[in-house]
Amino acid sequence: MPNAKVLSEKQAIVESLSEKLKGAAAGVIVDYKGITVAEDTALRKACRENEVEYAVIKNTMLRRAFNNVGLDALDDQLNGTTSLAIASDPVAPARVIADFAKKLEGKFEIKGGFMDGKVVDMATINSLASIPALPVLQAQVLGTMLAPITGLAVVLKQIAEKQGAPAEEAPAAE
């Protein structure tokens, strides 16, 4: 039986983890067995760049935190080596972790995940992982919105040139 100090420290860790889980839009649990230090460093760097919080957590503490927030269905996945990636962006954890799972086949395996307080299946995690990053999506939408305007400008310019009006030249860059 652990002493009172150790027990209170563990309870504080579980409580803190429960709060993080409540505040997270999504999360993915991973079996990281067999990755090298360099691979782990690269993974953590990618997580930081995408504002994903990644940590290795004892299964017992993670199980208690999951039970505190109603994610009991993930208990079966908590065996062996386990790490957790969570973020306020519902797509980021799945995308970052799935990219590394592809690169490190056999060493790095997604066990399960959750989104908006509900456990999701592997198909959902994989579909979330295939969604591009927010800046890419914004660029795609902007490009789609600008395409008709650009097309109209090109057609108007061609009509003007055909009717004999000189095309305006863009000012030279200084």
Side-chain angles (χ1 to χ4, degrees):
M1 182 80 183
N3 66 28
K5 181 181 179 189
V6 172
L7 188 58
S8 67
E9 288 174 359
K10 288 182 179 182
Q11 287 172 340
I13 292 170
V14 169
E15 197 59 40
S16 170
L17 186 55
S18 296
E19 289 302 315
K20 287 180 183 179
L21 289 171
K22 285 178 189 174
V28 177
I29 53 175
V30 182
D31 181 355
Y32 63 91
K33 187 176 188 176
I35 65 171
T36 65
V37 173
E39 293 164 342
D40 186 56
T41 302
L43 171 63
R44 289 175 187 272
K45 181 179 184 233
C47 286
R48 277 191 306 274
E49 289 171 354
N50 289 283
E51 297 178 10
V52 174
E53 189 173 336
Y54 176 82
V56 173
I57 302 170
K58 287 185 165 248
N59 289 328
T60 307
M61 290 186 195
L62 195 52
R63 182 174 290 112
R64 291 193 177 162
F66 280 160
N67 292 339
N68 287 347
V69 296
L71 295 170
D72 305 7
L74 289 171
D75 284 357
D76 297 341
Q77 305 299 324
L78 300 176
N79 48 41
T81 55
T82 305
S83 60
L84 174 70
I86 57 174
S88 58
D89 175 2
V91 177
R95 188 178 54 249
V96 171
I97 297 299
D99 285 348
F100 269 83
K102 287 177 191 170
K103 289 177 190 172
L104 308 173
E105 281 187 45
K107 294 188 204 175
F108 196 76
E109 183 180 327
I110 298 173
K111 293 182 178 183
F114 66 92
M115 187 166 100
D116 295 327
K118 295 183 179 44
V119 176
V120 295
D121 60 358
M122 288 303 295
T124 305
I125 293 170
N126 290 331
S127 64
L128 285 171
S130 67
I131 296 172
L134 185 60
V136 174
L137 285 174
Q138 289 170 335
Q140 289 173 346
V141 169
L142 186 59
T144 304
M145 290 179 359
L146 289 177
I149 297 168
T150 305
L152 177 64
V154 169
V155 168
L156 291 175
K157 179 180 175 193
Q158 288 174 347
I159 291 171
E161 287 175 351
K162 188 176 182 181
Q163 293 178 352
E168 289 184 33
E169 291 188 23
E174 294 178 24

Short mmCIF file of all heavy atoms in Angstrom, two decimals, residues 5 14 23 59 70-71 85 100 105 111 117 125 134 139 142:
data_model
loop_
_atom_site.label_atom_id
_atom_site.label_comp_id
_atom_site.label_asym_id
_atom_site.label_seq_id
_atom_site.Cartn_x
_atom_site.Cartn_y
_atom_site.Cartn_z
N LYS A 5 1.42 10.30 1.01
CA LYS A 5 1.97 11.34 0.15
C LYS A 5 1.95 10.89 -1.31
O LYS A 5 1.53 11.64 -2.20
CB LYS A 5 3.40 11.67 0.59
CG LYS A 5 4.05 12.76 -0.25
CD LYS A 5 5.45 13.04 0.20
CE LYS A 5 6.06 14.11 -0.69
NZ LYS A 5 7.48 14.29 -0.45
N VAL A 14 -4.19 12.24 -11.57
CA VAL A 14 -5.42 11.74 -12.19
C VAL A 14 -6.43 12.87 -12.33
O VAL A 14 -7.09 13.01 -13.36
CB VAL A 14 -6.01 10.55 -11.40
CG1 VAL A 14 -7.41 10.21 -11.88
CG2 VAL A 14 -5.10 9.34 -11.51
N GLY A 23 -11.39 19.13 -21.22
CA GLY A 23 -11.17 20.31 -22.05
C GLY A 23 -10.72 20.00 -23.47
O GLY A 23 -10.73 20.87 -24.33
N ASN A 59 -1.05 3.25 -17.43
CA ASN A 59 -2.38 2.75 -17.78
C ASN A 59 -3.38 2.91 -16.64
O ASN A 59 -4.54 3.27 -16.87
CB ASN A 59 -2.30 1.29 -18.20
CG ASN A 59 -1.64 1.12 -19.55
OD1 ASN A 59 -1.75 1.97 -20.41
ND2 ASN A 59 -0.94 0.01 -19.74
N GLY A 70 -16.12 9.62 -18.26
CA GLY A 70 -17.09 8.83 -19.00
C GLY A 70 -16.57 8.15 -20.25
O GLY A 70 -17.35 7.81 -21.14
N LEU A 71 -15.29 7.92 -20.32
CA LEU A 71 -14.70 7.23 -21.48
C LEU A 71 -14.31 5.81 -21.10
O LEU A 71 -13.25 5.31 -21.48
CB LEU A 71 -13.49 8.01 -22.00
CG LEU A 71 -13.76 9.39 -22.57
CD1 LEU A 71 -12.47 10.14 -22.83
CD2 LEU A 71 -14.60 9.29 -23.83
N ALA A 85 -2.34 11.52 -26.89
CA ALA A 85 -2.21 12.79 -27.61
C ALA A 85 -3.58 13.46 -27.58
O ALA A 85 -4.57 12.86 -28.02
CB ALA A 85 -1.77 12.56 -29.04
N PHE A 100 2.64 9.56 -38.10
CA PHE A 100 3.75 8.81 -37.51
C PHE A 100 3.50 7.32 -37.54
O PHE A 100 4.43 6.53 -37.71
CB PHE A 100 4.06 9.31 -36.08
CG PHE A 100 5.07 10.39 -36.08
CD1 PHE A 100 4.71 11.70 -36.30
CD2 PHE A 100 6.41 10.10 -35.91
CE1 PHE A 100 5.64 12.71 -36.35
CE2 PHE A 100 7.36 11.10 -35.95
CZ PHE A 100 6.98 12.41 -36.17
N GLU A 105 5.62 1.95 -39.27
CA GLU A 105 4.76 0.77 -39.27
C GLU A 105 5.31 -0.32 -38.36
O GLU A 105 6.49 -0.62 -38.39
CB GLU A 105 4.63 0.22 -40.68
CG GLU A 105 3.65 0.98 -41.53
CD GLU A 105 3.41 0.32 -42.86
OE1 GLU A 105 3.23 -0.91 -42.88
OE2 GLU A 105 3.43 1.04 -43.86
N LYS A 111 -4.28 2.81 -30.78
CA LYS A 111 -5.14 1.88 -30.05
C LYS A 111 -6.61 2.30 -30.11
O LYS A 111 -7.50 1.48 -30.18
CB LYS A 111 -4.74 1.80 -28.58
CG LYS A 111 -3.38 1.20 -28.32
CD LYS A 111 -3.17 1.16 -26.83
CE LYS A 111 -1.88 0.53 -26.42
NZ LYS A 111 -1.76 0.45 -24.96
N GLY A 117 -15.98 13.97 -26.12
CA GLY A 117 -16.43 13.19 -24.97
C GLY A 117 -16.99 11.82 -25.29
O GLY A 117 -17.52 11.14 -24.42
N ILE A 125 -11.13 7.77 -36.69
CA ILE A 125 -9.79 8.32 -36.47
C ILE A 125 -9.06 8.46 -37.80
O ILE A 125 -8.45 9.50 -38.08
CB ILE A 125 -8.99 7.45 -35.49
CG1 ILE A 125 -9.62 7.51 -34.09
CG2 ILE A 125 -7.53 7.88 -35.43
CD1 ILE A 125 -9.05 6.52 -33.12
N LEU A 134 -5.83 23.14 -40.97
CA LEU A 134 -6.70 24.31 -41.13
C LEU A 134 -6.16 25.32 -42.14
O LEU A 134 -6.92 25.79 -42.98
CB LEU A 134 -6.95 24.97 -39.77
CG LEU A 134 -7.93 26.13 -39.77
CD1 LEU A 134 -9.31 25.69 -40.27
CD2 LEU A 134 -8.04 26.72 -38.38
N ALA A 139 -6.89 27.88 -47.47
CA ALA A 139 -6.35 28.20 -48.79
C ALA A 139 -7.20 27.58 -49.89
O ALA A 139 -7.45 28.22 -50.93
CB ALA A 139 -4.90 27.73 -48.90
N LEU A 142 -10.43 29.65 -50.15
CA LEU A 142 -10.13 30.94 -50.77
C LEU A 142 -9.88 30.77 -52.27
O LEU A 142 -10.38 31.56 -53.07
CB LEU A 142 -8.91 31.58 -50.10
CG LEU A 142 -8.56 32.99 -50.55
CD1 LEU A 142 -9.73 33.94 -50.29
CD2 LEU A 142 -7.31 33.48 -49.84
#
